[in-house]
Amino acid sequence: MGERFARIRIVYPALVRLALLGLTALAVDYFFGDRAALWFALVSFTALLAFHFFYLSVLGAWLERPSLDTVPEGAGAWSEVFARLYKSRRSGELNESRLAENEQRFRRTISGVA
């Protein structure tokens, strides 16, 4: 259940935006006609697509040099994605430091015994 809810939290903002654009296009159709509604929908969906392409490029750039200090911030669903990346990266770095400490302790123990 937790994993399913986590996926919904990522997709929900995008679905809400799509629904709002669709409802607004229907309102434009009602007040200004079919042609205006189609143009509104075309421009809106193109802008939404550009929004997601922008954040995909930000993600791609970050993945080239992933660092805890440079995890980007996003908007909408992207804020949740980047927050999870930060959490995952932080956990990985903590595990690496613990492993290095344990290795040093092990080496000290071995060198003291020998």
Side-chain angles (χ1 to χ4, degrees):
M1 180 72 176
E3 183 180 324
R4 183 174 176 211
F5 179 70
R7 277 188 262 154
I8 290 171
R9 279 184 55 190
I10 289 177
V11 174
Y12 182 74
L15 292 177
V16 168
R17 280 194 180 94
L18 282 174
L20 289 174
L21 287 176
L23 290 173
T24 307
L26 287 174
V28 169
D29 181 36
Y30 180 77
F31 289 108
F32 301 104
D34 295 344
R35 186 173 293 207
L38 286 174
W39 277 108
F40 173 80
L42 178 67
V43 169
S44 299
F45 289 124
T46 301
L48 189 60
L49 191 60
F51 170 82
H52 288 293
F53 280 145
F54 170 75
Y55 280 111
L56 277 173
S57 70
V58 169
L59 175 62
W62 182 81
L63 288 173
E64 291 292 321
R65 296 178 196 262
S67 168
L68 188 60
D69 298 331
T70 61
V71 175
E73 291 188 23
W78 289 102
S79 62
E80 179 70 22
V81 169
F82 292 138
R84 288 185 188 190
L85 280 174
Y86 177 83
K87 191 175 175 181
S88 173
R89 187 68 183 178
R90 184 170 179 253
S91 174
E93 287 185 9
L94 287 173
N95 287 339
E96 285 177 20
S97 67
R98 286 184 192 136
L99 183 61
E101 287 175 20
N102 287 341
E103 181 183 9
Q104 287 176 350
R105 199 171 335 133
F106 177 75
R107 289 181 187 269
R108 284 192 304 264
T109 303
I110 295 297
S111 66
V113 171

